[in-house]
Amino acid sequence: MAASVETAPGALGRENLSDDGLTWVDVEVGTQTIKVLNWDEVKQGILTLSGQRLWPAAKLLALLMHFNPDILEGAKNVLELGAGLGVVGIAAAKMAANVKVMITDGEDEVVDLCREHLNRNFEKGQDQPQCERLFWGEGLDEFKKQHGTFDLILGSDVVEGKDSLPPFLHTVKELLSSSPTAMCLQTYAERPYLPHDLIERTAEACGLSYTYIEWENQPWAHHMVQTQDPSRWDRFSPRWAKLRIIAWMKPLSS
C-alpha cells in the first residue's frame, strides 16, 4: 500500500490542491485504489486537525484486513471510530461489499471530509458507508438506537493522550455487539503517554479483555517498510515509530 500524488478531477490546474489546501493522493489497498485529500505540512504548514492526514497506523490496519480476509467475513456491520480521512472504513467497505460500514469522527470538519471521500470512491447509486459525527462517550444510547451495535470496530491512531483512552474504550464496550467473535481492532504508534500498564488498568476498569497481535514477522510486513516515495504516507514507518495492534473484546461472561 502506497500513496502517490495525482492530479484529481476538481483539482486540475491547481497543482493538485483543493480549496482548503489539501492534496489529492491515491492510496493503494490490495487491488483497490482509494482517493483522499491529505494535508502535507511541508507544503501547507502546520497541521491543525490530525484527521486531515494519512497516518501509518491506518496503513497497518488496512493491510491487516486485506491479508486476513477472515476478519471481515464474520462481521455483518463495521464501525470506524475517529476515522480521520476514512481510509480504513472505505477499505473495509470495498473489501466486503455486503458488510454494512459506518464511519465516524468527532470533528464536523473531518466528517465533511470523509463524506467527500465517500462520494469520490463510490459510484453514484452504489452502496457506500454511512458517515456520522460521534464524540466518544456522548449520545451512545441514541446512537445505538439508530444504528445498533457492531461486530467489528476499527480505530487507527485514535488515542491522542492518556485521557482519551477511557472514553474510547467506553465507546467500544457500548457499541460492540454481543457476538462471541465481536472485537475492536486498534492500531497505534507506541508513545510515552500510552504505556502498557495504562492500557492494562483502563481495560480492567472498562471491563474489556485484550490481546496484542504480532505483525512484524508476517509475510506482508514489508509493505510497511519506508520507501523512497516522496509522499507523506511512507515517511513515517516502523523505522520511525513502533506500531502496535490490539484486539479488544468483551469477556464471554459479560
Side-chain angles (χ1 to χ4, degrees), residues 10-215:
L12 293 173
R14 296 169 154 205
E15 298 180 345
N16 303 318
L17 301 183
S18 71
D19 290 336
D20 55 5
L22 297 170
T23 303
W24 281 104
V25 299
D26 275 355
V27 181
E28 304 297 335
V29 183
T31 59
Q32 302 290 343
T33 299
I34 300 173
K35 297 178 182 294
V36 294
L37 284 163
N38 178 47
W39 186 271
D40 187 333
E41 71 271 20
V42 170
K43 294 180 180 178
Q44 307 305 327
I46 298 173
L47 181 74
T48 57
L49 287 174
S50 62
Q52 289 181 320
R53 62 159 291 190
L54 298 165
W55 294 98
K59 175 180 181 178
L60 178 59
L61 188 47
L63 285 171
L64 179 71
M65 292 189 296
H66 174 68
F67 287 101
N68 297 273
D70 56 306
I71 291 174
L72 287 166
E73 286 175 0
K76 295 180 180 178
N77 41 37
V78 176
L79 171 68
E80 184 179 9
L81 296 175
L85 302 184
V87 168
V88 174
I90 292 172
K94 288 180 173 290
M95 291 175 194
N98 296 324
V99 173
K100 176 185 175 183
V101 177
M102 168 69 73
I103 295 174
T104 66
D105 198 276
E107 298 285 348
D108 290 332
E109 186 176 350
V110 176
V111 171
D112 290 340
L113 190 60
C114 278
R115 287 173 176 159
E116 184 170 353
H117 294 163
L118 292 176
N119 291 334
R120 178 59 59 89
N121 286 282
F122 293 88
E123 299 288 342
K124 187 175 181 179
Q126 182 183 10
D127 288 341
Q128 62 178 252
Q130 291 180 266
C131 186
E132 301 289 345
R133 182 183 183 275
L134 177 64
F135 199 84
W136 300 341
E138 296 182 6
L140 297 181
D141 288 339
E142 183 61 28
F143 190 86
K144 280 196 293 185
K145 188 182 298 182
Q146 290 186 30
H147 306 293
T149 56
F150 299 83
D151 301 322
L152 178 63
I153 297 178
L154 306 169
S156 60
D157 231 349
V158 293
V159 177
E160 297 181 339
K162 64 180 183 179
D163 293 337
S164 61
L165 183 60
F168 170 71
L169 292 184
H170 173 68
T171 301
V172 168
K173 184 178 181 181
E174 289 297 311
L175 298 182
L176 202 59
S177 78
S178 58
S179 167
T181 59
M183 65 177 172
C184 168
L185 290 174
Q186 177 193 2
T187 54
Y188 67 97
E190 197 172 56
R191 298 183 176 97
Y193 60 70
L194 201 60
H196 174 75
D197 62 332
L198 175 64
I199 292 173
E200 185 176 15
R201 293 195 309 272
T202 309
E204 184 176 358
C206 291
L208 290 172
S209 61
Y210 68 95
T211 184
Y212 288 98
I213 298 176
E214 296 294 331
W215 66 272

